[in-house]
Amino acid sequence: MKLFRRLSTSILTVVFSVSLLGASGDHARFADLGHRMMCVCGCNQILLECNHVGCTYSDRMREQLMAATQRESSDDNILQAFVKEYGTTVLAAPTMRGFDKIAWIMPFAVFLGGSLTAVMVIRNWKHRQPALPTLHGTGQALDQYREQARRETSL
């Protein structure tokens, strides 16, 4: 009898632990997906962090997300369903497919291009010879120019 109680208690403990692990997995998945989406009310906040009082979108979207994670849909299917219903603005970050790759590549490409351009301009400035006027003649010619400048600028 004692063996039966110990065995049943052990089995119940294992079953309860496994069910809690599954629930925490759903919660972690819910949190992950909720942080990958934006609230569409116009607040420009992450879905799970939307703090507008009386926001009509965030509560409904959270409930939809919870139901979707409990149905065991894949993450991509859940995100696609939200994009289909709310548009691409629901995604917090662009996907890595198709034209969206440009959104990931362009900031790095612009930074690299700007850095290379700056390096080239600085090198050109560094190696450029200063433009000094060359005077053909002696100091006497220079004195003539100075005298002419005084006459033309005097009142």
Side-chain angles (χ1 to χ4, degrees):
M1 192 70 158
K2 287 184 178 184
L3 180 63
F4 179 71
R5 280 188 182 165
R6 280 189 171 170
L7 186 60
S8 63
T9 305
S10 299
I11 290 174
L12 284 174
T13 305
V14 168
V15 168
F16 184 70
S17 299
V18 169
S19 68
L20 284 179
L21 286 175
S24 68
D26 284 344
H27 181 69
R29 187 171 169 214
F30 172 79
D32 177 50
L33 287 171
H35 282 97
R36 291 168 57 187
M37 290 190 278
M38 301 289 290
C39 182
V40 293
C41 70
C43 65
N44 292 329
Q45 292 183 359
I46 300 294
L47 175 62
L48 296 183
E49 296 173 7
C50 179
N51 57 4
H52 282 126
V53 176
C55 179
T56 58
Y57 287 101
S58 63
D59 292 335
R60 180 172 21 135
M61 290 175 71
R62 288 179 189 141
E63 289 172 7
Q64 288 174 335
L65 181 59
M66 183 58 78
T69 55
Q70 290 174 349
R71 278 190 305 241
E72 296 298 326
S73 297
S74 71
D75 291 353
D76 287 335
N77 289 343
I78 293 171
L79 290 174
Q80 287 174 2
F82 273 86
V83 167
K84 191 174 188 179
E85 184 172 345
Y86 297 106
T88 56
T89 57
V90 77
L91 297 176
T95 62
M96 287 298 289
R97 285 184 237 132
F99 190 70
D100 287 341
K101 285 183 183 179
I102 291 177
W104 290 103
I105 294 170
M106 284 307 291
F108 298 109
V110 168
F111 177 74
L112 183 64
S115 298
L116 290 175
T117 302
V119 167
M120 289 173 46
V121 167
I122 292 171
R123 279 190 180 175
N124 284 340
W125 285 347
K126 186 176 178 182
H127 295 298
R128 185 172 57 179
Q129 296 294 327
L132 295 176
T134 57
L135 295 175
H136 300 290
T138 62
Q140 188 179 19
L142 186 56
D143 289 337
Q144 287 178 346
Y145 290 126
R146 286 183 182 148
E147 183 60 37
Q148 181 183 358
R150 281 191 204 111
R151 279 183 301 195
E152 291 177 0
T153 58
S154 67
L155 296 175

Short mmCIF file of all heavy atoms in Angstrom, two decimals, residues 61-88:
data_model
loop_
_atom_site.label_atom_id
_atom_site.label_comp_id
_atom_site.label_asym_id
_atom_site.label_seq_id
_atom_site.Cartn_x
_atom_site.Cartn_y
_atom_site.Cartn_z
N MET A 61 -5.24 41.96 -29.47
CA MET A 61 -4.10 41.29 -30.11
C MET A 61 -3.42 40.32 -29.14
O MET A 61 -3.00 39.24 -29.55
CB MET A 61 -3.10 42.34 -30.61
CG MET A 61 -3.60 43.13 -31.79
SD MET A 61 -2.47 44.46 -32.26
CE MET A 61 -1.11 43.54 -32.95
N ARG A 62 -3.33 40.68 -27.87
CA ARG A 62 -2.75 39.77 -26.88
C ARG A 62 -3.58 38.51 -26.74
O ARG A 62 -3.04 37.41 -26.62
CB ARG A 62 -2.61 40.47 -25.53
CG ARG A 62 -1.53 41.51 -25.49
CD ARG A 62 -1.47 42.18 -24.14
NE ARG A 62 -0.57 43.32 -24.19
CZ ARG A 62 -0.78 44.46 -23.58
NH1 ARG A 62 -1.86 44.63 -22.84
NH2 ARG A 62 0.08 45.45 -23.70
N GLU A 63 -4.90 38.67 -26.72
CA GLU A 63 -5.77 37.49 -26.63
C GLU A 63 -5.62 36.61 -27.85
O GLU A 63 -5.57 35.37 -27.74
CB GLU A 63 -7.22 37.94 -26.46
CG GLU A 63 -7.52 38.55 -25.11
CD GLU A 63 -8.90 39.17 -25.03
OE1 GLU A 63 -9.69 39.02 -25.99
OE2 GLU A 63 -9.20 39.83 -24.01
N GLN A 64 -5.55 37.22 -29.04
CA GLN A 64 -5.35 36.44 -30.26
C GLN A 64 -4.01 35.71 -30.22
O GLN A 64 -3.91 34.55 -30.62
CB GLN A 64 -5.39 37.35 -31.49
CG GLN A 64 -6.74 37.87 -31.84
CD GLN A 64 -6.66 38.87 -32.99
OE1 GLN A 64 -5.63 39.49 -33.22
NE2 GLN A 64 -7.77 39.01 -33.71
N LEU A 65 -2.98 36.39 -29.72
CA LEU A 65 -1.66 35.76 -29.64
C LEU A 65 -1.66 34.61 -28.65
O LEU A 65 -1.09 33.55 -28.93
CB LEU A 65 -0.61 36.81 -29.26
CG LEU A 65 0.82 36.33 -29.16
CD1 LEU A 65 1.28 35.75 -30.49
CD2 LEU A 65 1.73 37.47 -28.72
N MET A 66 -2.31 34.78 -27.52
CA MET A 66 -2.37 33.70 -26.53
C MET A 66 -3.10 32.49 -27.10
O MET A 66 -2.65 31.35 -26.95
CB MET A 66 -3.06 34.18 -25.25
CG MET A 66 -3.10 33.14 -24.14
SD MET A 66 -1.49 32.52 -23.65
CE MET A 66 -0.93 33.85 -22.62
N ALA A 67 -4.22 32.74 -27.79
CA ALA A 67 -4.96 31.63 -28.39
C ALA A 67 -4.13 30.94 -29.46
O ALA A 67 -4.13 29.71 -29.56
CB ALA A 67 -6.28 32.15 -28.97
N ALA A 68 -3.39 31.71 -30.24
CA ALA A 68 -2.58 31.13 -31.30
C ALA A 68 -1.43 30.30 -30.74
O ALA A 68 -1.11 29.23 -31.27
CB ALA A 68 -2.04 32.22 -32.22
N THR A 69 -0.81 30.75 -29.66
CA THR A 69 0.28 29.97 -29.08
C THR A 69 -0.23 28.70 -28.41
O THR A 69 0.48 27.70 -28.38
CB THR A 69 1.07 30.80 -28.05
OG1 THR A 69 0.19 31.32 -27.06
CG2 THR A 69 1.83 31.92 -28.72
N GLN A 70 -1.45 28.71 -27.91
CA GLN A 70 -2.02 27.51 -27.30
C GLN A 70 -2.48 26.49 -28.34
O GLN A 70 -2.59 25.32 -28.04
CB GLN A 70 -3.17 27.88 -26.37
CG GLN A 70 -2.70 28.60 -25.13
CD GLN A 70 -3.85 29.11 -24.28
OE1 GLN A 70 -5.00 29.11 -24.70
NE2 GLN A 70 -3.51 29.58 -23.09
N ARG A 71 -2.76 26.96 -29.57
CA ARG A 71 -3.17 26.04 -30.64
C ARG A 71 -1.99 25.30 -31.23
O ARG A 71 -2.16 24.49 -32.13
CB ARG A 71 -3.86 26.82 -31.76
CG ARG A 71 -5.29 27.14 -31.52
CD ARG A 71 -5.89 27.67 -32.80
NE ARG A 71 -5.10 28.81 -33.26
CZ ARG A 71 -5.56 30.03 -33.42
NH1 ARG A 71 -6.82 30.29 -33.17
NH2 ARG A 71 -4.78 31.01 -33.82
N GLU A 72 -0.78 25.63 -30.76
CA GLU A 72 0.43 24.98 -31.25
C GLU A 72 0.73 25.29 -32.71
O GLU A 72 1.27 24.49 -33.43
CB GLU A 72 0.37 23.45 -31.05
CG GLU A 72 0.30 23.01 -29.64
CD GLU A 72 1.52 23.42 -28.82
OE1 GLU A 72 2.64 23.45 -29.36
OE2 GLU A 72 1.33 23.71 -27.64
N SER A 73 0.37 26.47 -33.18
CA SER A 73 0.78 26.90 -34.52
C SER A 73 2.26 27.25 -34.47
O SER A 73 2.79 27.58 -33.43
CB SER A 73 -0.01 28.14 -34.95
OG SER A 73 -1.38 27.84 -35.05
N SER A 74 2.91 27.18 -35.62
CA SER A 74 4.32 27.56 -35.65
C SER A 74 4.43 29.08 -35.54
O SER A 74 3.48 29.81 -35.83
CB SER A 74 4.99 27.07 -36.94
OG SER A 74 4.53 27.83 -38.03
N ASP A 75 5.59 29.54 -35.12
CA ASP A 75 5.80 30.97 -34.94
C ASP A 75 5.60 31.74 -36.26
O ASP A 75 5.01 32.81 -36.27
CB ASP A 75 7.19 31.25 -34.38
CG ASP A 75 7.35 30.77 -32.95
OD1 ASP A 75 6.34 30.35 -32.35
OD2 ASP A 75 8.48 30.83 -32.44
N ASP A 76 6.11 31.17 -37.34
CA ASP A 76 5.95 31.83 -38.64
C ASP A 76 4.49 31.94 -39.04
O ASP A 76 4.06 32.96 -39.58
CB ASP A 76 6.73 31.08 -39.72
CG ASP A 76 8.24 31.28 -39.58
OD1 ASP A 76 8.63 32.32 -39.01
OD2 ASP A 76 9.00 30.43 -40.05
N ASN A 77 3.71 30.88 -38.78
CA ASN A 77 2.28 30.92 -39.12
C ASN A 77 1.55 31.97 -38.30
O ASN A 77 0.66 32.67 -38.80
CB ASN A 77 1.64 29.55 -38.91
CG ASN A 77 2.08 28.54 -39.92
OD1 ASN A 77 2.63 28.89 -40.96
ND2 ASN A 77 1.88 27.27 -39.62
N ILE A 78 1.92 32.09 -37.04
CA ILE A 78 1.28 33.10 -36.18
C ILE A 78 1.61 34.50 -36.68
O ILE A 78 0.72 35.34 -36.83
CB ILE A 78 1.73 32.92 -34.71
CG1 ILE A 78 1.19 31.60 -34.15
CG2 ILE A 78 1.29 34.09 -33.86
CD1 ILE A 78 1.74 31.24 -32.80
N LEU A 79 2.88 34.74 -36.99
CA LEU A 79 3.27 36.06 -37.49
C LEU A 79 2.60 36.37 -38.82
O LEU A 79 2.16 37.49 -39.06
CB LEU A 79 4.79 36.15 -37.61
CG LEU A 79 5.56 36.19 -36.29
CD1 LEU A 79 7.06 36.13 -36.54
CD2 LEU A 79 5.20 37.42 -35.49
N GLN A 80 2.51 35.36 -39.70
CA GLN A 80 1.86 35.57 -41.00
C GLN A 80 0.38 35.89 -40.83
O GLN A 80 -0.17 36.71 -41.55
CB GLN A 80 2.05 34.35 -41.89
CG GLN A 80 3.46 34.21 -42.43
CD GLN A 80 3.65 32.90 -43.19
OE1 GLN A 80 2.73 32.12 -43.35
NE2 GLN A 80 4.88 32.68 -43.65
N ALA A 81 -0.27 35.24 -39.86
CA ALA A 81 -1.68 35.52 -39.61
C ALA A 81 -1.87 36.95 -39.12
O ALA A 81 -2.80 37.66 -39.55
CB ALA A 81 -2.24 34.54 -38.59
N PHE A 82 -0.98 37.42 -38.26
CA PHE A 82 -1.08 38.80 -37.79
C PHE A 82 -0.78 39.79 -38.92
O PHE A 82 -1.43 40.84 -39.01
CB PHE A 82 -0.13 39.03 -36.61
CG PHE A 82 -0.75 38.68 -35.29
CD1 PHE A 82 -0.70 37.38 -34.80
CD2 PHE A 82 -1.38 39.64 -34.52
CE1 PHE A 82 -1.27 37.05 -33.59
CE2 PHE A 82 -1.96 39.32 -33.31
CZ PHE A 82 -1.92 38.02 -32.83
N VAL A 83 0.19 39.47 -39.76
CA VAL A 83 0.49 40.35 -40.90
C VAL A 83 -0.70 40.40 -41.86
O VAL A 83 -1.04 41.46 -42.38
CB VAL A 83 1.77 39.87 -41.63
CG1 VAL A 83 1.93 40.55 -42.98
CG2 VAL A 83 2.99 40.13 -40.77
N LYS A 84 -1.33 39.25 -42.05
CA LYS A 84 -2.49 39.20 -42.94
C LYS A 84 -3.63 40.05 -42.39
O LYS A 84 -4.34 40.72 -43.14
CB LYS A 84 -2.93 37.75 -43.10
CG LYS A 84 -3.95 37.52 -44.18
CD LYS A 84 -4.19 36.02 -44.33
CE LYS A 84 -5.04 35.74 -45.53
NZ LYS A 84 -5.26 34.30 -45.69
N GLU A 85 -3.81 40.05 -41.08
CA GLU A 85 -4.92 40.79 -40.49
C GLU A 85 -4.61 42.28 -40.29
O GLU A 85 -5.44 43.13 -40.55
CB GLU A 85 -5.30 40.17 -39.13
CG GLU A 85 -6.52 40.84 -38.51
CD GLU A 85 -7.01 40.11 -37.28
OE1 GLU A 85 -6.62 38.95 -37.06
OE2 GLU A 85 -7.82 40.71 -36.55
N TYR A 86 -3.39 42.60 -39.83
CA TYR A 86 -3.07 43.97 -39.46
C TYR A 86 -2.09 44.67 -40.41
O TYR A 86 -1.83 45.85 -40.27
CB TYR A 86 -2.48 44.01 -38.04
CG TYR A 86 -3.45 43.54 -36.99
CD1 TYR A 86 -3.30 42.29 -36.40
CD2 TYR A 86 -4.52 44.32 -36.60
CE1 TYR A 86 -4.18 41.84 -35.43
CE2 TYR A 86 -5.41 43.88 -35.63
CZ TYR A 86 -5.23 42.65 -35.05
OH TYR A 86 -6.11 42.21 -34.09
N GLY A 87 -1.49 43.94 -41.34
CA GLY A 87 -0.51 44.53 -42.25
C GLY A 87 0.91 44.35 -41.72
O GLY A 87 1.13 43.89 -40.61
N THR A 88 1.86 44.75 -42.54
CA THR A 88 3.27 44.53 -42.18
C THR A 88 3.72 45.45 -41.06
O THR A 88 4.78 45.23 -40.48
CB THR A 88 4.18 44.76 -43.39
OG1 THR A 88 3.95 46.07 -43.92
CG2 THR A 88 3.94 43.72 -44.46
#
